[in-house]
Amino acid sequence: MDGLDIFVIAVVVLVLWLLFAGIKTVPQGYQYTVERFGRYTRTLQPGLNIIIPFFDKIGARMNVMEQVLEVPTQEVITRDNASVASDAIAFYQVLNAAEAAYQVAHLEHAILNLTMTNIRSVMGSMDLDELLSNRDKINDRLLHVVDEAAKPWGVKITRVEIKDIAPPKDLVESMARQMKAERDKRAQVLEAEGSRNAQILRAEGAKQSAILQAEGQREAAFRNAEARERLAEAEAKATKMVSEAIAAGNVQAVNYFVAQKYTEALATVGSAPNSKVVLMPMEASSLIGSLGGIGAIAKEVFGDGPATAPNRPRQSTPTTGGTARNPFDTTRES
């Protein structure tokens, strides 16, 4: 092998080496920066790329996929001087590889410290009760603050989440006692409200019952008064008719009226609960005559012709010895 062949082989090897040195393959999810004599010139996208050997070189290999960053636990003093331990998790994505490579050193460390300081700032401006009940609000504020601070670095903070908030043990016990007291208070309030509502309902029921009872009594009184009024009208009408009959000279009407009142009086005396013996007077025979007058009036009313007053019963005198006795003067035992 002479010197020409060696030279040709060397040239071919050099060309192949230059060719391989100038071809760069970028994997998906990454971006490479290109530096020419130490100065940034461009960014290589995923795929096959060609650079000039000896002049260009790969600067930074940036991962542009969304990445997760664990924020370690740290102590935070709240606005009401309560000490709590909190940790978090942050998600970020590189949008501009050149800015992420050349605007900040140690990008991940910078985002971590930025997130930790803002956690202390945001949580320290809140009371403990607000801190424990408003995690969404804390996450939103942290995301807004950290994302604004990371924009010059070509990074997008997609999410910041508080993982855990741990107050001291004695504070947790105090909160548990407070919660128990609040629940007891609410139970007592609800029980008092239930008792009050029950009393109101009972009072309403009693009121409605009294109203209905009063209305019933009023209706009964109205109907009783109406009945008495009708009875009085009937009595007045009957009295008027008897008076007219008396004025016309009808003695039988007088007998009917007297017999009716006499019979009612005897019925009242006989129905008394403390009456045992009723003595009928001698004048009771006139009642029989009145009853006969009533029969005569009835005959006239029903058209049996003019009535003749019946003869009064004669008093018989016993033939045997003893005192004369009216047959209608009897002794009735009840």
Side-chain angles (χ1 to χ4, degrees):
M1 183 179 293
D2 55 5
L4 181 59
D5 294 334
I6 295 173
F7 177 74
V8 172
I9 292 172
V11 170
V12 172
V13 172
L14 179 61
V15 170
L16 292 175
W17 180 80
L18 292 175
L19 184 61
F20 282 105
I23 297 175
K24 297 296 181 182
T25 302
V26 180
Q28 185 67 39
Y30 285 83
Q31 291 182 358
Y32 293 173
T33 60
V34 178
E35 300 175 357
R36 180 171 294 175
F37 301 115
R39 182 178 180 180
Y40 168 76
T41 56
R42 61 195 177 97
T43 301
L44 301 181
Q45 300 298 325
L48 184 63
N49 297 271
I50 298 176
I51 62 173
I52 301 176
F54 302 108
F55 294 95
D56 297 335
K57 70 174 183 177
I58 301 299
R61 292 174 171 83
M62 302 302 302
N63 186 347
V64 295
M65 294 181 291
E66 188 172 1
Q67 302 178 64
V68 59
L69 182 64
E70 293 281 347
V71 180
T73 303
Q74 58 180 331
E75 294 290 332
V76 179
I77 304 298
T78 61
R79 186 170 57 185
D80 53 353
N81 297 323
S83 178
V84 297
S86 176
D87 57 355
I89 186 171
F91 296 85
Y92 70 95
Q93 184 177 15
V94 175
L95 300 181
N96 192 315
E99 292 179 352
Y102 302 111
Q103 294 293 330
V104 62
H106 308 291
L107 176 63
E108 184 174 323
H109 184 69
I111 295 175
L112 177 62
N113 283 274
L114 179 64
T115 305
M116 292 179 65
T117 54
N118 280 280
I119 286 175
R120 287 195 294 268
S121 176
V122 172
M123 297 178 65
S125 63
M126 304 173 68
D127 294 332
L128 180 61
D129 293 338
E130 185 182 4
L131 188 68
L132 295 175
S133 59
N134 293 305
R135 288 198 179 190
D136 292 339
K137 182 179 179 181
I138 298 173
N139 294 335
D140 292 339
R141 291 179 60 182
L142 283 174
L143 178 61
H144 177 72
V145 173
V146 177
D147 185 52
E148 287 294 328
K151 273 186 178 181
W153 303 340
V155 176
K156 172 66 178 177
I157 306 298
T158 57
R159 183 175 298 179
V160 178
E161 296 285 345
I162 298 296
K163 293 175 61 178
D164 189 22
I165 299 176
K169 185 177 180 180
D170 56 347
L171 187 58
V172 173
E173 294 176 355
S174 299
M175 292 171 63
R177 290 193 299 270
Q178 179 183 2
M179 181 183 66
K180 185 177 183 299
E182 288 291 335
R183 292 184 180 275
D184 292 340
K185 175 183 175 182
R186 288 166 56 187
Q188 294 176 0
V189 170
L190 291 176
E191 184 178 358
E193 290 180 353
S195 177
R196 183 189 65 180
N197 293 335
Q199 293 178 0
I200 291 174
L201 292 177
R202 284 194 293 268
E204 288 290 337
K207 175 183 175 182
Q208 293 295 329
S209 177
I211 291 173
L212 294 176
Q213 185 176 3
E215 290 180 353
Q217 293 176 356
R218 183 184 66 178
E219 183 68 19
F222 175 78
R223 294 190 179 276
N224 290 334
E226 185 178 4
R228 289 195 300 270
E229 180 181 359
R230 292 183 179 179
L231 182 61
E233 290 178 355
E235 187 71 20
K237 187 175 180 180
T239 304
K240 180 180 179 182
M241 294 176 64
V242 172
S243 299
E244 291 176 353
I246 294 173
N250 191 347
V251 181
Q252 295 177 354
V254 177
N255 294 334
Y256 170 76
F257 186 75
V258 172
Q260 181 183 14
K261 296 299 181 181
Y262 202 95
T263 305
E264 291 177 357
L266 290 178
T268 302
V269 172
S271 62
N274 56 353
S275 299
K276 300 300 181 180
V277 178
V278 177
L279 299 177
M280 301 294 293
M282 292 293 296
E283 290 78 5
S285 59
S286 61
L287 176 62
I288 305 301
S290 299
L291 294 175
I294 294 172
I297 293 173
K299 290 180 180 181
E300 291 181 359
V301 171
F302 291 103
D304 291 337
T308 303
N311 296 326
R312 296 181 60 184
R314 298 180 180 179
Q315 297 179 356
S316 60
T317 302
T319 57
T320 60
T323 305
R325 188 168 180 265
N326 191 338
F328 295 100
D329 186 6
T330 60
T331 300
R332 184 173 64 89
E333 293 184 1
S334 59

